[in-house]
Amino acid sequence: MTATTTPHSAGPAAAGCVTAGTAAADATATDPAASDTPAADLDERIRRNPGAHRILTGDRPTGPLHLGHYFGTLQNRVRLQRLGVELFIVIPDYQVITDRDVADRLAEHTENLVLDYLAIGIDPDRATIFTHSAVPALNQLLLPFLSLVSVAELNRNPTVKDEIAHSRQSAVNGLMLTYPVHQAADILFCKASVVPVGRDQLPHLEITRTVARRFNERYPHPDGTAVFPRPEAMLSAAPLLLGTDGGKMSKSRGNAIPLSADEDTTARLIKGAKTDTERRIGYDPDARPEVSSLVLLAALCQDRAPEAVADEIGDGGSAALKRTVTEAVNDHLRPIRARRAELAADRGYVRQVLRAGADRANSVAEATLDEVRAVMGSA
Ligand code: TRP
């Protein structure tokens, strides 16, 4: 629970770390360049000593989780939890209002996320699931953290730039520019050592590492030890699944297959998926991205090689492919959906899970904030 016990707060950072900074002044020996080192090395270190790691990750409450989330990150969370790593899951409700004026159906989206987590196997007795808005001390960390980054650094974050470009708002609000630092507070309040994320989140991890390093340099403990660890990103090993329109599967694009969809809806969504006119089904992501993504989806559900799935369908064309995929998805998700339906019948239980998560997150955040106040010399 303390920074000093995590292996990443000092010393040469291990391979696979994400670099802490883009500015020249940040390029220190302990910050290797952002790398594509596969997760194997980090995985090995976690496996060797799961108790030394704490994982934080999260999902914005803007809609239901879908198959892209499931194979991209959710399954991995369950796997890590089974290895014995402590898991924190933030539902970042304050991040929803970065690119829209009001957070629509926030409580409903939040409860649905919790249902998805529990249904796939996240254990609420071991994991801490909480929202931003329920943990005041976490949010307060944002203030000293903001003082550690320059406006120029905030302005050049590529993920933020991309979100601004795609935003439907006429003006960029202050939270849009500063939320990556808020995300640093999400990660650092519980002194997480590992953050499973998609590639688009790497700039935010970089800011987090920069904030941690600068805070530690500016405000060391009297004995010289660091307050914050420097968390590592864990990139998903799963290949990307495309949405039904051939674009990136996304909550907001209407091209996703939600975990919570019923079997008929799943069949309808897959039936409408983009394919091509070649009869012979193959697995060639570069030449035939849409067909290959469907083959991959069936393969992931059946835990088989995509080539084997494609061979079996052979000359059956898109119709046979879609039948195979629909059956594979519905078979795979059936027990998860059944469990979800059971849990959904008791909303009181979902709210109880969130309350317990908030209690635990609050006590961790308050301890960290106390430590921050102490090293900063607050009265
Ligand atoms: N920004 C992330 C997203 O849009 C969500 C998020 C908020 C997050 N805080 C986080 C992810 C901390 C990882 C760690 O998906």
Side-chain angles (χ1 to χ4, degrees):
M1 247 191 243
T2 61
T4 45
T5 59
T6 75
H8 314 297
S9 51
C17 286
V18 169
T19 184
T22 45
D26 295 328
T28 66
T30 55
D31 272 292
S35 83
D36 290 340
T37 309
D41 160 70
L42 176 54
D43 231 73
E44 175 53 31
R45 280 181 282 134
I46 291 173
R47 227 175 259 283
R48 237 182 288 132
N49 194 0
H53 288 275
R54 183 176 273 183
I55 290 189
L56 178 125
T57 187
D59 308 283
R60 293 186 190 192
T62 52
L65 294 174
H66 53 64
L67 286 168
H69 296 118
Y70 180 69
F71 289 112
T73 168
L74 298 174
Q75 271 193 332
N76 189 42
R77 293 182 202 174
V78 175
R79 184 185 68 90
L80 290 164
Q81 178 167 281
R82 292 197 177 124
L83 288 179
V85 188
E86 188 180 6
L87 211 58
F88 279 70
I89 303 180
V90 61
I91 299 177
D93 46 1
Y94 284 138
Q95 257 188 32
V96 176
I97 44 177
T98 53
D99 63 355
R100 64 198 88 191
D101 293 335
V102 283
D104 200 28
R105 297 186 291 155
L106 208 47
E108 182 189 326
H109 288 320
T110 299
E111 288 178 17
N112 279 326
L113 285 182
V114 175
L115 284 171
D116 287 337
Y117 298 148
L118 301 180
I120 61 151
I122 299 289
D123 175 359
D125 292 332
R126 291 196 286 150
T128 302
I129 305 171
F130 64 98
T131 58
H132 268 155
S133 57
V135 188
L138 181 162
N139 295 297
Q140 193 173 327
L141 289 174
L142 179 61
L143 299 176
F145 286 2
L146 278 174
S147 78
L148 298 167
V149 296
S150 69
V151 172
E153 283 171 315
L154 295 174
N155 271 322
R156 66 169 173 251
N157 183 304
T159 297
V160 169
K161 278 193 195 164
D162 193 57
E163 283 166 345
I164 290 172
H166 289 97
S167 158
R168 284 151 293 173
Q169 286 192 310
S170 51
V172 179
N173 73 41
L175 189 60
M176 172 61 102
L177 220 54
T178 52
Y179 89 78
V181 183
H182 196 185
Q183 192 155 326
D186 297 342
I187 296 166
L188 296 177
F189 95 91
C190 65
K191 301 187 176 179
S193 56
V194 177
V195 185
V197 281
R199 216 161 262 288
D200 63 317
Q201 299 293 304
L202 289 180
H204 303 349
L205 240 295
E206 218 171 279
I207 289 191
T208 302
R209 290 170 56 86
T210 301
V211 164
R213 184 171 48 75
R214 290 182 186 158
F215 188 93
N216 293 340
E217 279 165 13
R218 200 168 294 182
Y219 307 108
H221 277 300
D223 66 0
T225 56
V227 173
F228 292 112
R230 294 247 288 285
E232 292 178 63
M234 178 183 259
L235 284 173
S236 168
L240 207 65
L241 282 174
L242 300 180
T244 49
D245 58 358
K248 181 184 176 226
M249 196 184 286
S250 157
K251 275 185 215 150
S252 51
R253 291 190 198 178
N255 66 358
I257 302 162
L259 291 180
S260 52
D262 62 35
E263 298 201 2
D264 290 345
T265 306
T266 302
R268 185 172 49 74
L269 290 170
I270 292 170
K271 201 160 184 206
K274 197 170 165 201
T275 51
D276 58 36
T277 50
E278 211 177 309
R279 265 214 86 69
R280 174 133 203 109
I281 298 304
Y283 183 66
D284 185 350
D286 290 330
R288 302 175 70 189
E290 296 92 359
V291 162
S292 299
S293 180
L294 285 170
V295 170
L296 174 65
L297 177 53
L300 288 168
C301 288
Q302 297 175 338
D303 202 10
R304 292 166 73 195
E307 292 79 3
V309 173
D311 276 353
E312 199 173 277
I313 301 166
D315 290 322
S318 289
L321 170 62
K322 288 176 177 180
R323 267 197 309 276
T324 300
V325 175
T326 300
E327 207 176 288
V329 170
N330 282 337
D331 284 351
H332 185 87
L333 292 182
R334 200 163 293 125
I336 292 172
R337 286 167 168 170
R339 170 136 179 78
R340 197 182 189 286
E342 239 170 70
L343 291 159
D346 186 359
R347 290 276 160 171
Y349 175 67
V350 172
R351 283 192 280 272
Q352 194 185 311
V353 167
L354 278 166
R355 242 189 334 269
D359 284 349
R360 163 116 178 93
N362 271 302
S363 74
V364 172
E366 279 157 24
T368 301
L369 185 59
D370 276 345
E371 206 182 330
V372 163
R373 287 194 190 102
V375 293
M376 290 181 72
S378 305

